[in-house]
Amino acid sequence: MWGGRYASGPSAIMEQINASIGFDRRLYAQDIAGSKAHCAMLADQGLISAEDGAAIQDGLDRILKEIEAGTFEFKTALEDIHLNIEARLAELIGDAAGRLHTARSRNDQVATDFRLWVRDAVDGLDEQLQALQAALIEKAEAHADTVMPGLTHLQPAQPITFGHHLLAYVAMVGRDRGRLRDCRARVNESPLGAAALAGTSFDIDRHATAAALGFDAPMENSMDAVSARDFTLEFLAALSISAIHISRLAEEIVLWCTPQYGFIRLSDAYTTGSSIMPQKRNPDAAELARAKAGRIVGAMTGLMIVMKGLPLAYGKDMQEDKEPAFDAAESLSLAIAAMAGMVGDMEADPDAMERALVDGFPTATDLADWLVRVLDMPFRRAHHVTGQIVALAEKQGCGLADLPLADMQRVESGITQDIYSVLSNVASVQSRTSFGGTAPGRVREAAKAAREKFL
């Protein structure tokens, strides 16, 4: 490829560090699509003949079939997917293949290919995240009345419903999908026609190629078009946040599966055993989904460091953008699939959840609220009075609902028998009817709204 300027070939090390065909071959479909759009535009603009245009289009179609059939020979000496396809095109149609690169550089070519790939990856991940939401919503509807401990600091806080807990993740995944949509909108501009960095002197139609490839518009600045990789960073940032959400749910599944919690059970489909301990049922799918966040956040961090301080326009450093993005997308895709499977598979144990509500005085806030509502007590004083009652119950080794009324009245004389109407866990969740609250009716409304919004 460089015979006009170079008298000898690269060293083995140079060939090894320079070649990207080992990983960028997955861009073949995007590269061929971009080349077909560019070829059509060149022919329409009279920059190549109709005959050469037709030969190029036919050759590219043949190459696509060869790659998909597994008969295409990828050559490391040709560095990347672009040159591999171009060389094969020359073998198929002869000199006409050389006209395809008119008014184009590998710089704008690779930027176009990669934007097309990120766009496709966003669409695929969005579809998977929607399926995860569907699994969560279905499980939430089934457990709108199932009462469990709500925790803060991993300590008993207030009773909630299992359905409410799961819908929290539906909302989080919804924002993940929103970030991907935002990313897609900024990805969806075409670098094609920016050439190496300065544009081209040929009379090309960048709007035509952008439209042909489904882009909203061509990028406005040719230097920015070839040197920008913020679209990849934004993609990886969106994936990182989504992976963290997956990791948090995975962590809870790991905890809920332990005998200490026992809130859920996973089947053999999503657990593994131990090589030495025959009794074990390990939630390995959740643990591995949790671990994927490290790879994905690492990919984002790594590319940020690659891009930091790079002068305009293109530098070969940018070749390092693809492997982390490919790996991150694959890792998140696998984690989402595993999580959707586990959510659908997990079987809740309402009795275990109810037993876990015995400790920690989870209805203490309900007691304080009753003091405010019925006795017109300022909340800060109600908080103090409730704390004294909790300390008394703790000393007697009983729950608030089991503490004698007389003992409560020694702390606050205005307390009546009605206090017990708010101290059960079921009464607590049923009272949380504020918008976004955990009351079963609200959970059902929220699940229905989530179906309409996301599915």
Side-chain angles (χ1 to χ4, degrees):
M1 295 299 293
W2 324 122
R5 172 66 177 84
Y6 283 79
S8 62
S11 70
I13 291 297
M14 180 60 197
E15 185 174 283
Q16 183 179 354
I17 196 172
N18 190 49
S20 59
I21 189 60
F23 54 84
D24 70 14
R25 66 176 63 189
R26 72 175 63 198
L27 297 176
Y28 73 88
Q30 290 82 11
D31 193 73
I32 290 172
S35 290
K36 286 172 68 69
H38 186 66
C39 174
M41 181 274 298
L42 292 177
D44 288 343
Q45 294 295 105
L47 296 172
I48 63 174
S49 69
E51 293 75 17
D52 283 346
I56 290 169
Q57 295 281 10
D58 179 67
L60 290 170
D61 288 338
R62 291 171 63 184
I63 291 170
L64 180 61
K65 290 178 181 177
E66 288 178 358
I67 296 175
E68 291 178 341
T71 60
F72 186 92
E73 182 184 359
F74 294 99
K75 299 176 182 178
T76 302
L78 293 174
E79 296 186 8
D80 56 32
I81 187 62
H82 324 297
L83 296 185
N84 268 265
I85 289 175
E86 184 175 330
R88 178 58 178 152
L89 186 63
E91 291 175 354
L92 291 173
I93 69 171
D95 289 344
R99 301 189 185 280
L100 176 59
H101 212 54
T102 304
R104 184 176 73 170
S105 164
R106 281 196 300 175
N107 294 357
D108 63 333
Q109 188 177 358
V110 68
T112 302
D113 291 359
F114 201 31
R115 282 178 181 266
L116 289 171
W117 182 89
V118 169
R119 193 176 72 184
D120 291 342
V122 164
D123 292 344
L125 289 168
D126 180 73
E127 186 176 331
Q128 284 192 280
L129 288 170
Q130 184 183 50
L132 173 57
Q133 286 181 304
L136 287 164
I137 291 169
E138 182 176 354
K139 195 69 68 172
E141 288 173 331
H143 291 283
D145 295 285
T146 301
V147 183
M148 69 178 293
L151 309 178
T152 63
H153 310 275
L154 275 182
Q155 302 295 318
Q158 293 177 279
I160 60 170
T161 57
F162 190 41
H164 188 62
H165 195 132
L166 295 176
L167 287 178
Y169 285 103
V170 173
M172 293 160 76
V173 173
R175 293 192 295 275
D176 293 336
R177 294 178 65 194
R179 273 180 283 273
L180 284 172
R181 285 194 298 272
D182 292 343
C183 171
R184 193 189 194 285
R186 277 178 284 277
V187 163
N188 207 36
E189 294 185 341
S190 175
L192 192 58
L197 76 162
T200 178
S201 59
F202 291 98
D203 182 24
I204 62 171
D205 186 346
R206 293 190 61 211
H207 289 85
T209 53
L213 292 169
F215 288 114
D216 294 330
M219 294 184 73
E220 295 178 351
N221 183 282
S222 60
M223 291 187 73
D224 178 49
V226 299
S227 60
R229 290 298 182 273
D230 55 323
F231 71 92
T232 316
L233 292 172
E234 185 175 8
F235 176 62
L236 290 173
L239 265 57
S240 295
I241 296 171
S242 183
I244 289 169
H245 290 159
I246 294 290
S247 181
R248 294 183 72 179
L249 178 53
E251 169 69 8
E252 296 208 289
I253 287 175
V254 170
L255 290 173
W256 292 341
C257 282
T258 63
Q260 291 81 3
Y261 281 77
F263 290 175
I264 65 168
R265 179 182 174 87
L266 293 174
S267 75
D268 295 350
Y270 293 95
T271 58
T272 64
S274 164
S275 64
I276 189 173
M277 296 168 284
Q279 82 282 11
K280 295 295 293 297
R281 179 186 289 274
N282 300 323
D284 283 1
E287 292 171 8
L288 291 166
R290 181 177 61 185
K292 294 298 183 186
R295 293 176 66 147
I296 296 166
V297 175
M300 179 188 69
T301 304
L303 185 57
M304 282 185 169
I305 294 170
V306 168
M307 295 304 299
K308 182 197 71 65
L310 282 189
L312 298 182
Y314 182 80
K316 203 60 180 281
D317 315 53
M318 295 181 195
Q319 186 168 289
E320 293 296 319
D321 61 350
K322 294 168 198 63
E323 285 186 285
F326 294 157
D327 184 76
E330 286 181 356
S331 295
L332 184 60
S333 176
L334 185 56
I336 296 169
M339 187 55 64
M342 281 185 287
V343 169
D345 178 76
M346 67 184 181
E347 182 180 342
D349 187 340
D351 292 337
M353 294 180 183
E354 185 177 355
R355 287 193 298 271
L357 283 160
V358 171
D359 298 323
F361 309 103
T363 58
T365 304
D366 298 276
L367 194 158
D369 289 346
W370 185 93
L371 295 173
V372 171
R373 188 170 53 252
V374 177
L375 301 186
D376 197 26
M377 189 179 290
F379 182 80
R380 285 302 172 197
R381 170 159 170 72
H383 186 285
H384 180 75
V385 169
T386 300
Q388 290 180 299
I389 294 173
V390 167
L392 185 61
E394 189 172 42
K395 184 176 180 180
Q396 295 188 18
C398 67
L400 292 175
D402 300 316
L403 191 66
L405 178 61
D407 290 343
M408 293 193 211
Q409 290 174 332
R410 278 196 290 272
V411 177
E412 170 52 53
S413 61
I415 295 177
T416 68
Q417 186 70 29
D418 183 60
I419 192 66
Y420 294 104
S421 68
V422 302
L423 294 183
S424 75
N425 297 311
V426 171
S428 176
V429 297
Q430 288 177 342
S431 72
R432 305 292 164 178
T433 56
S434 58
F435 180 80
T438 192
R442 283 296 191 184
V443 171
R444 292 188 181 90
E445 289 175 4
K448 180 181 178 182
R451 281 191 179 278
E452 295 171 354
K453 181 177 181 180
F454 295 121
L455 304 185

